[in-house]
Each structure stands twice: as structure tokens, then as C-alpha cells.
Amino acid sequence: MSSLAMSSFVEQQIVLHQFTAKHSVQARAMLGWSREDLACQAGVAVNAVQRFESHAEVEDEIRLTLAFRLEAEGLVFFPRFAPGWGMSVRWLQHQSRRLRRAFSRA
């Protein structure tokens, strides 16, 4: 196995062990997304998101797809901790949108 393939495999194994159903629920709340929104954004069935978040068995591919899609929004996941915002352009854009909405309501 090439080092690039091994690196990808190792990354996937880390994600599979770190990303939990609770992370998915919390991440959706942080983004203001419904299960339907996440399913659409990740390109998976709503039923797959529901199964994962209900702690039912899902394929590793589904779990990875959900985790990577949420990470693409700037979220990071660590065992036993709520998701957090990584320092990224998406995080800054999200914060900017959140502040604009807050000031427009005032």
C-alpha cells in the first residue's frame, strides 16, 4: 500500500472512531440544518441520517460522508467533546452571517 493510500486509510479510521451520532446532531444544530438538509448536502438518503443518529448500524461510507461533509463546513470532531469550529474560511463566513442576522433583528 502506498503511503498516500495508507494516509487516507488512517484518516478514515480516525474519523470512523471519532465521529458519533451525537456529533451529527450537535453539528446540525450548530449549522441550523435539519436531517433533510444534511442528507441533501451530503448526497445520502434522509433515512441514512436518521439511522446513524439513532445509533443504528450504517455503512462506514455513510458515516464518512456525513463526517466529511460537516468538516467541509468548518467543524472539527473529537471524542467526548461537542463539535467545534476549526479556523477556516467557512467558519468566518458562518460567524459573519450569524452576526448579520443578529443585528438585522435588533
Side-chain angles (χ1 to χ4, degrees), residues 32-76:
W33 287 3
S34 65
R35 284 181 173 163
E36 291 78 11
D37 294 330
L38 176 56
C40 181
Q41 290 290 327
V44 301
V46 175
N47 186 13
V49 177
Q50 291 171 332
R51 284 193 330 267
F52 176 66
E53 291 183 353
S54 299
H55 303 278
E57 282 294 314
V58 296
E59 300 82 13
D60 288 350
E61 183 180 344
I62 297 291
R63 193 172 180 165
L64 286 169
T65 300
L66 295 174
F68 290 151
R69 183 62 191 94
L70 293 167
E71 286 177 344
E73 291 299 314
L75 295 171
V76 293

Side-chain angles (χ1 to χ4, degrees), residues 9-55:
F9 174 78
V10 170
E11 280 183 16
Q12 289 179 1
Q13 293 306 305
I14 290 169
V15 170
L16 287 172
H17 289 94
Q18 288 189 158
F19 183 66
T20 65
K22 187 173 182 179
H23 283 140
S24 182
V25 173
Q26 292 170 328
R28 285 192 303 100
M30 291 171 72
L31 294 168
W33 287 3
S34 65
R35 284 181 173 163
E36 291 78 11
D37 294 330
L38 176 56
C40 181
Q41 290 290 327
V44 301
V46 175
N47 186 13
V49 177
Q50 291 171 332
R51 284 193 330 267
F52 176 66
E53 291 183 353
S54 299
H55 303 278

